[in-house]
Amino acid sequence: MVGALAINQKLEADSANAFGGAGLIGNGSSTPEASAAPVDVKKSATGDPVDYLYGTIQVSITQLNGKLTAIELLQQQATAGREQAFPYLVKYAIAANGSSFGNLSNATYTTDAFKQALDSAISKL
């Protein structure tokens, strides 16, 4: 019986080498599992309008995989040159991935209202 045991072990070892390690025992699967491609998660939301001293601000945002990728100003009222702050506010918000960035000088109220509008949109994602 010892001879038969040695032959069986030799057959199993040869089989394992021939079939990528699967051998005669086990599941015998020799096909690799397909890896799932990552799925992008895109979300959009529109915040509530925020009234402030110089007008109203309302934004719509787009997130891709949890990162802000776009901010659209739906309402962007400001007076006395403060409207020039909006492109910077959008840029800073995207870079900070939210409202955690500093205020612009001479546009503190506009910055605060923009951040409130942005936070409103983010809360709706």
Side-chain angles (χ1 to χ4, degrees):
M1 195 70 171
V2 175
L5 182 60
I7 291 173
N8 284 339
Q9 289 175 342
K10 173 75 171 127
L11 287 174
E12 287 178 11
D14 289 344
S15 174
N17 290 334
F19 295 104
L24 297 175
I25 301 173
N27 65 11
S29 174
S30 63
T31 57
E33 291 186 28
S35 61
V39 177
D40 288 334
V41 178
K42 186 175 182 179
K43 297 178 183 179
S44 296
T46 299
D48 296 326
V50 174
D51 295 323
Y52 75 116
L53 186 61
Y54 301 106
T56 302
I57 299 175
Q58 183 179 25
V59 299
S60 176
I61 62 170
T62 302
Q63 255 189 3
L64 181 62
N65 297 330
K67 181 148 177 63
L68 277 176
T69 57
I71 300 172
E72 181 182 353
L73 291 157
L74 303 177
Q75 295 185 57
Q76 55 185 12
Q77 298 168 341
T79 60
R82 289 174 187 85
E83 64 279 352
Q84 295 175 16
F86 291 119
Y88 294 101
L89 295 171
V90 168
K91 176 182 168 183
Y92 296 153
I94 290 173
N97 198 39
S99 62
S100 297
F101 59 90
N103 284 349
L104 294 177
S105 63
N106 296 325
T108 302
Y109 292 117
T110 303
T111 302
D112 288 342
F114 176 84
K115 288 179 176 183
Q116 288 175 28
L118 180 60
D119 287 338
S120 173
I122 290 171
S123 72
K124 295 181 181 204
L125 287 175

